[in-house]
Amino acid sequence: MAIGEISQQQLLRDHQSFQQSYQIVKLSGTDVTEINTWPRDLQVEVYFGTWCHDSQREVPKFLKILAESSNISTRLFGLDYAKSEPSGTAKSHDIKYTPTFIIYRNNKEIGRIIERPKVSLIADISAML
């Protein structure tokens, strides 16, 4: 179980279910075009559990989005079953469900995607912008 801040490389290297899902995800040309319209000051914090099936489904999709855009600043936080981690960041952001994607622009929270997107990660983030 990954607990605390983790890099994308560590997550994919150490957790096979995330690596397998990442390999399967394919983005369309339309998806890539949409991602590349996003502003340069976009930041996303991702709170997830390596044990959580929703995280295993959604986080690899998000990592594939990151692979298409250098505009997105990201921090990944692995949580335990109690939705906590050593730094207390999850608690200070009132994280109750995994995964939770917190989207920031100009260092201000503009929205959250909790457990699963309404449409898709790309469509939901674009709608926030």
Side-chain angles (χ1 to χ4, degrees):
M1 183 182 312
I3 300 176
E5 192 162 1
I6 185 172
S7 71
Q8 174 179 336
Q9 294 78 15
Q10 283 177 292
L11 178 62
L12 295 177
R13 182 190 68 223
D14 298 344
H15 299 277
Q16 189 170 2
S17 60
F18 285 77
Q19 173 68 265
Q20 289 171 340
S21 295
Y22 180 82
Q23 295 301 327
I24 292 169
V25 174
K26 303 288 184 237
L27 299 177
S28 70
T30 305
D31 290 338
V32 173
T33 300
E34 180 74 19
I35 293 163
N36 286 318
T37 67
W38 292 351
R40 294 196 173 278
D41 58 355
L42 198 61
Q43 301 161 308
V44 181
E45 290 179 354
V46 183
Y47 298 87
F48 68 96
T50 51
W51 43 267
C52 167
H53 68 277
D54 289 334
S55 294
Q56 292 169 4
R57 181 189 64 243
E58 298 301 333
V59 173
K61 290 177 187 175
F62 181 72
L63 296 178
K64 195 63 87 156
I65 291 167
L66 286 179
E68 292 298 331
S69 177
S70 60
N71 290 346
I72 306 169
S73 167
T74 297
R75 294 177 72 191
L76 303 171
F77 295 91
L79 306 181
D80 62 20
Y81 296 119
K83 316 295 187 302
S84 65
E85 40 71 49
S87 71
T89 305
K91 183 176 182 173
S92 70
H93 286 86
D94 199 30
I95 303 302
K96 293 189 176 19
Y97 303 99
T98 55
T100 295
F101 299 85
I102 305 178
I103 318 305
Y104 297 90
R105 183 150 186 220
N106 295 321
N107 296 314
K108 182 178 189 277
E109 182 177 330
I110 61 169
R112 293 183 180 208
I113 299 171
I114 300 172
E115 291 188 299
R116 64 178 58 231
K118 291 181 178 80
V119 178
S120 71
L121 289 170
I122 294 169
D124 288 16
I125 291 170
S126 290
M128 290 175 201
L129 297 169

